[in-house]
């Protein structure tokens, strides 16, 4: 989300900055590996609810989004949202790259009454708007 570093190496920030600059989006492997994306406000809400639990409840609690999206699907979504002319290039998949990421949030749902509310599309759009704003501010300075 907003205030992420454009070069932090995460897939969302990488894809958005590549799309904004018109560079090809880099996917490692065929893009079928899944990820779970959660917007920062959902994470903060989950943490706040955790702090309000009884002292005898210690967890652990997974705070994440059980909705899986393939890396390829994310790239396509970002190209669509940004209106970018970027293409997609594929590079070899690192051997330690997980094939699937999908947290079990049943404890968070049952104990905290929590589940994420911001969709991936909404989160990407908010993050894109933030990055676009930062990039245009930087180009105004130059």
């Amino acid at each position: 989300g907003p205030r992420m570093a454009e070069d932090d190496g995460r897939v969302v920030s990488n894809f958005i900055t590549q799309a904004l600059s018109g560079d090809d989006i880099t996917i490692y492997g065929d893009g079928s590996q899944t990820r779970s994306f959660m917007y920062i406000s959902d994470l903060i809400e989950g943490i706040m609810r955790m702090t309000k639990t009884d002292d005898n409840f210690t967890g652990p609690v997974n705070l994440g989004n059980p909705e899986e999206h393939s890396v390829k699907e994310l790239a396509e979504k970002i190209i669509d949202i940004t209106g970018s002319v970027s293409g997609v290039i594929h590079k070899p998949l690192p051997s330690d790259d997980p094939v699937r990421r999908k947290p079990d949030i049943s404890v968070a749902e049952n104990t905290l009454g929590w589940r994420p509310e911001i969709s991936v599309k909404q989160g990407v759009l908010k993050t894109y708007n933030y990055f676009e704003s930062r990039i245009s501010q930087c180009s105004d300075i130059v």
Side-chain angles (χ1 to χ4, degrees), residues 1-2 4-20 25-26 35-39 69 71 74-75 78 82 120-121 123-128 131:
M4 286 178 73
E6 292 93 350
D7 60 353
D8 74 355
R10 297 175 198 269
V11 68
V12 172
S13 54
N14 283 352
F15 285 6
I16 290 175
T17 55
Q18 288 172 331
L20 281 170
I25 292 180
T26 306
R35 297 295 180 261
S36 167
F37 303 104
M38 183 170 60
Y39 196 70
H69 296 272
V71 172
L74 177 68
I78 288 174
T82 62
V120 171
K121 185 174 182 177
V124 166
L125 185 57
K126 289 179 180 200
T127 307
Y128 161 72
F131 280 8

Side-chain angles (χ1 to χ4, degrees), residues 99-124:
V99 173
R100 184 175 188 208
R101 288 203 177 151
K102 180 181 178 179
D104 175 357
I105 66 165
S106 57
V107 174
E109 289 176 309
N110 297 328
T111 305
L112 308 177
W114 175 91
R115 83 177 275 109
E117 295 180 0
I118 304 294
S119 71
V120 171
K121 185 174 182 177
Q122 291 170 312
V124 166

Side-chain angles (χ1 to χ4, degrees), residues 11 15 25 27 30-35 37 67-81 88 90 120-121 124:
V11 68
F15 285 6
I25 292 180
I27 293 179
D30 65 4
S32 63
Q33 64 273 32
T34 64
R35 297 295 180 261
F37 303 104
E67 190 177 291
E68 290 178 275
H69 296 272
S70 73
V71 172
K72 180 181 177 193
E73 178 187 344
L74 177 68
E76 291 166 351
K77 194 173 300 252
I78 288 174
I79 289 170
D80 181 54
I81 288 171
V88 173
H90 294 268
V120 171
K121 185 174 182 177
V124 166

